[in-house]
Amino acid sequence: MPAATAPFPLAAASARLPAVIMIGAAVNALVVSLMTGLGPEATPSITFGINPFQLVAVGVAARLSLGDGVATRPHGPWLDALAIALVLVPSSAVAWLALAIYAGVQATQTTSERRAGALIFLALAIASLWSSVVLKWIALPITTAEAFLVAKALAPFRPDIVQIANVVGDQTTHNLIIMTKCTTADALPQSAVALAAVALLLGPVTPKRLFGACAALGALYAVANLVRLAAMAWSAENYALVHGPIGANIFDLFQVVAVLALAASASRP
């Protein structure tokens, strides 16, 4: 009789299960944004309301988590079962939380590309929880601080512009209400995760170079967003231009170029 062979397909499927769970958690978490983006009152978007940097991070993390690496300390099936149960809950916040916990465990128990993929999933989950949950709890202090900076930046040129809480502008003609979606604190974490993901995909990255690239991105984004908000607070005409399709596309292009350029610099030997 021929010798029995090991169930390689089953073993391979078991090794890929953590990646499948993490990908499923991320996809489930993005469903809410997708459904909102498909609604009748949604603004037309090629990504259907999903942050493009989230898509980049998920794609790179999925690619790496399915790559090389081994489990150094395999966990029991209970963790997989718990993660799957949480992923099936129809809540993006629960899915992001499940992904953060599960990816954190995977990052400590795997090596090579799979560990890098788990770290990106972990960072993405934390950034998404920050934007969708935590930031809403502290919305007023964050938006008020951003409005304060806008008013200070405009003070030498427009002394008539004043700031009250998260509202800045000339109270007699035009006011800008700053929401969390307009703040640097909302978008920067997702952009930084995408930067790290692209850098890891391009080549070897040292923590020092990656930290420097993320710090540079934070500075660039803070200045660019301040200029953008100041322009919108200047007048109703400026608001329509900057907040409209032309201004929005220019700002989105700036973000993409900054992320890609800094990611390339971080991955250089």
Side-chain angles (χ1 to χ4, degrees):
M1 294 181 61
T5 58
F8 287 114
L10 182 60
S14 177
R16 292 189 176 93
L17 180 60
V20 172
I21 291 175
M22 290 187 289
I23 294 169
V27 170
N28 184 56
L30 294 174
V31 166
V32 174
S33 297
L34 177 63
M35 298 306 295
T36 302
L38 293 174
E41 299 180 357
T43 302
S45 170
I46 60 174
T47 57
F48 302 103
I50 299 175
N51 187 324
F53 290 124
Q54 287 181 318
L55 297 178
V56 170
V58 170
V60 174
R63 156 68 180 80
L64 292 173
S65 62
L66 290 168
D68 297 333
V70 295
T72 56
R73 298 194 307 274
H75 56 263
W78 64 269
L79 182 60
D80 295 335
L82 177 61
I84 292 173
L86 291 175
V87 167
L88 294 177
V89 175
S91 167
S92 60
V94 173
W96 286 129
L97 180 61
L99 178 59
I101 296 172
Y102 191 80
V105 172
Q106 290 300 316
T108 65
Q109 296 183 348
T110 54
T111 63
S112 192
E113 290 184 331
R114 294 186 184 182
R115 181 174 184 271
L119 286 172
I120 295 174
F121 271 127
L122 173 61
L124 174 63
I126 293 174
S128 300
L129 284 171
W130 163 260
S131 298
S132 63
V133 179
V134 179
L135 195 56
K136 293 180 180 179
W137 296 341
I138 56 175
L140 186 57
I142 294 294
T143 54
T144 298
E146 198 96 18
F148 173 80
L149 293 175
V150 172
K152 288 299 181 182
L154 289 174
F157 313 100
R158 290 285 303 274
D160 57 318
I161 290 181
V162 297
Q163 173 250 334
I164 301 175
N166 64 328
V167 180
V168 59
D170 177 3
Q171 292 183 315
T172 61
T173 57
H174 171 68
N175 285 317
L176 174 67
I177 302 175
I178 298 180
M179 310 299 289
T180 54
K181 286 294 182 182
C182 305
T183 63
T184 303
D186 177 76
L188 181 58
Q190 306 284 0
S191 303
V193 173
L195 188 158
V198 174
L200 287 170
L201 189 64
L202 291 176
V205 177
T206 63
K208 182 179 179 179
R209 288 206 310 268
L210 185 58
F211 177 80
C214 288
L217 178 68
L220 284 173
Y221 193 93
V223 172
N225 197 51
L226 180 61
V227 172
R228 174 173 173 264
L229 292 176
M232 288 194 290
W234 188 275
S235 67
E237 293 78 14
N238 277 12
Y239 176 86
L241 177 63
V242 176
H243 196 264
I246 295 177
N249 287 331
I250 291 175
F251 191 68
D252 289 344
L253 180 61
F254 159 77
Q255 294 181 78
V256 171
V257 171
V259 166
L260 292 179
L262 290 170
S265 69
S267 63
R268 289 175 183 170

